[in-house]
Amino acid sequence: MSTLLVPYYEHPSVRPAEWDAIVAAAPRLYGVVLNPASGPGDRPDTAFAEVAARLRAEGVRVLGYADTGYGRRAATDVVRDLTRHRDWYGTDGAFLDQVPSGPEEFEHYQKLAVAAWGVGCATLVLNHGTAPHPCYARIADVLVTFEGPWAAYRALPPQPRPGGTDVRLCHLVYDVPPGADPEGLARARGAAVHCAVPGTGDHPWGTLPYTLHKPENTS
């Protein structure tokens, strides 16, 4: 099943073997977040363009990363990032980071969603990091309702589902120890999409998900 959303924030020329592993895992991937420089950067990067083309050739969604600053970043800057992702890397979706969870900023994100669709983002992922107000389910394909360390994830109390069943929930978990079962816990908590990595500190998304090292279950 395609349940893995991979935010891997390392350069392909520095970590080519890891990117090869991501491409090889294409049947398991819901999508891959492309993030050359906390966004698309100031100019095209040929190494990222190549890996994006490989992913698209395998039928994988490629999502362009854009920081929204919890609604404080200008919409024009966010849309510029998404346009550059499309033009330089052929992305077909957007991963909007630092999205607030309250309804006060929903109108701003509704306008961002319309603009994202207008530049070809067929898939829209909103990273709240916590359960948001249900209104956001009206514009997103995926809502990230948890981002944090494994210890906090294990202790997470039951959350109300934001919106109906037509939006997928995603949990992003880091500092996961060997032998843990974050995939099973994600399923039990209603997350159809997930990612769990061993990385810690300020840059946990520079490590590969454990599930990329597991053989695919074809039974």
Side-chain angles (χ1 to χ4, degrees), residues 35-44 65 80-82 84-85 88-89:
N35 187 12
S38 296
D42 296 326
R43 60 186 62 84
Y65 175 95
R80 180 196 61 205
D81 282 357
L82 299 181
R84 286 178 173 178
H85 276 301
W88 297 347
Y89 308 115

Side-chain angles (χ1 to χ4, degrees), residues 64 82-83 86 91-95 113 115-124 141:
L82 299 181
T83 303
R86 179 201 64 191
T91 55
D92 49 18
F95 181 93
W117 298 330
V119 298
C121 295
T123 301
L124 186 60
D141 298 284

Side-chain angles (χ1 to χ4, degrees), residues 10 15-17 61 139 161 163 172 182 195 198 201 209:
E10 292 290 336
R15 300 284 180 85
R61 293 178 182 86
I139 59 173
R161 182 179 181 87
L172 302 178
C195 187

Side-chain angles (χ1 to χ4, degrees), residues 136-185:
Y136 289 95
R138 291 159 44 191
I139 59 173
D141 298 284
V142 177
L143 295 173
V144 180
T145 60
F146 180 86
E147 180 179 3
W150 172 247
Y153 190 52
R154 289 186 63 193
L156 187 71
Q159 297 176 304
R161 182 179 181 87
T165 57
D166 53 338
V167 64
R168 300 188 188 204
L169 305 185
C170 175
H171 294 164
L172 302 178
V173 189
Y174 53 84
D175 198 10
V176 180
D181 184 22
E183 185 175 3
L185 191 52

Side-chain angles (χ1 to χ4, degrees), residues 22 30 65 157-158 189 194:
I22 292 171
Y30 177 83
Y65 175 95
R189 291 180 167 167
H194 72 280

Side-chain angles (χ1 to χ4, degrees), residues 188-204:
R189 291 180 167 167
V193 182
H194 72 280
C195 187
V197 300
T200 61
D202 294 333
H203 184 50

